[in-house]
Amino acid sequence: GTVVTPATDGAILKGITRDTILTILREKGHQVEERPVTIDELLQASNKGLLQEVFGAGTAAVVSLVSEIAYNDQTIIVPTPIETGIAHFVKAEIEGMRSGRIADTHGWVVPVKVEELV
């Protein structure tokens, strides 16, 4: 029930897409924790059935689900909810803002004129 993401410490970049996702989640009432996440924590959460989904985010991909995490001789099979998960929700929100179907209340979307592209 909590979105956990590693804090930006050099290994995790301070990205606009990441910030956008965290802002959307907080505004929509989701609990978000930014803190170190260890492989042991992921293994324990998976073994206890608590790991709900894992995704990566970035400018080109926006949001990409992770289905497996391999570590040493262990493989975590990650649940990948298609239409009910956080990843799907935030991707739909961002794509909705890009297309104009969802209001961009932050001024994130900036129209580019065709002349500017040439």
Side-chain angles (χ1 to χ4, degrees), residues 6-118:
T8 53
D9 63 357
I12 302 297
L13 300 175
K14 295 178 181 180
I16 292 171
T17 305
R18 178 184 186 278
D19 185 55
T20 299
I21 289 169
L22 296 178
T23 299
I24 290 169
L25 289 172
R26 288 181 174 120
E27 286 180 353
K28 299 294 182 177
H30 293 276
Q31 184 175 347
V32 176
E33 290 181 15
E34 293 182 77
R35 60 173 176 77
V37 179
T38 66
I39 190 66
D40 290 332
E41 180 181 2
L42 289 173
L43 288 165
Q44 288 175 3
S46 177
N47 291 337
K48 292 179 181 178
L50 300 173
L51 186 62
Q52 296 174 336
E53 69 183 299
V54 174
F55 63 89
T59 303
V62 182
V63 175
S64 294
L65 285 167
V66 173
S67 59
E68 292 183 5
I69 300 171
Y71 176 70
N72 290 334
D73 62 344
Q74 301 176 64
T75 300
I76 300 169
I77 304 300
V78 181
T80 53
I82 302 302
E83 295 186 15
T84 58
I86 294 294
H88 175 77
F89 166 74
V90 293
K91 186 171 185 175
E93 287 284 310
I94 292 170
E95 289 175 352
M97 281 185 253
R98 286 179 173 173
S99 69
R101 288 181 288 110
I102 296 175
D104 171 17
T105 59
H106 298 277
W108 291 330
V109 178
V110 178
V112 176
K113 296 178 183 173
V114 175
E115 312 77 72
E116 295 175 15
L117 295 175
V118 181

